[in-house]
Amino acid sequence: MKIKPLHNHIVIKQQDETETMYGNIVVPDMGKEKPLMGEVVAVGPGIYTITGTWLETKVQVGEVVVFPAFGGTKMTIEGEGYVVMKEQDLLAILEK
């Protein structure tokens, strides 16, 4: 299945959260609200402003981004975790 975002929405493949193993017991890191990271897998074309100016989406497929833990819409497709959110809700783009 392919996800095609509309307007200025982006689709992020969410990276696994940090977990600690103690023997056979998995302890998830649930201490504080932390921003999450993931790779952009699809982007929408952009939006029109109130004045009618076209704004293209600046984020590109393949970039690694940081987004808030409680932002966007989380979904699971074919066993993979994705987040769909507006471009302006992103916190940062990580560069190598």
Side-chain angles (χ1 to χ4, degrees):
M1 182 178 295
K2 185 176 179 181
I3 305 171
K4 185 176 179 182
L6 302 174
H7 310 293
N8 65 336
H9 287 85
I10 60 170
V11 179
I12 304 165
K13 183 176 181 183
Q14 189 171 350
Q15 293 180 353
D16 293 334
E17 296 181 21
T18 354
E19 296 179 333
T20 307
M21 294 280 296
Y22 293 102
N24 291 334
I25 301 172
V26 177
V27 180
D29 185 10
M30 298 178 1
K32 297 181 180 178
E33 176 186 339
K34 298 179 184 176
L36 302 174
M37 294 189 330
E39 181 181 352
V40 177
V41 293
V43 296
I47 59 170
Y48 283 103
T49 64
I50 294 174
T51 61
T53 306
W54 177 253
L55 292 178
E56 289 187 17
T57 306
K58 303 283 189 241
V59 179
Q60 298 176 0
V61 173
E63 291 183 316
V64 177
V65 295
V66 179
F67 56 94
F70 295 106
T73 302
K74 294 172 176 46
M75 61 178 64
T76 303
I77 297 177
E78 297 177 356
E80 296 288 335
Y82 296 95
V83 178
V84 179
M85 64 176 27
K86 291 184 179 182
E87 181 183 32
Q88 65 261 27
D89 294 338
L90 294 177
L91 301 175
I93 297 173
L94 301 178
E95 297 179 348
K96 292 183 180 180

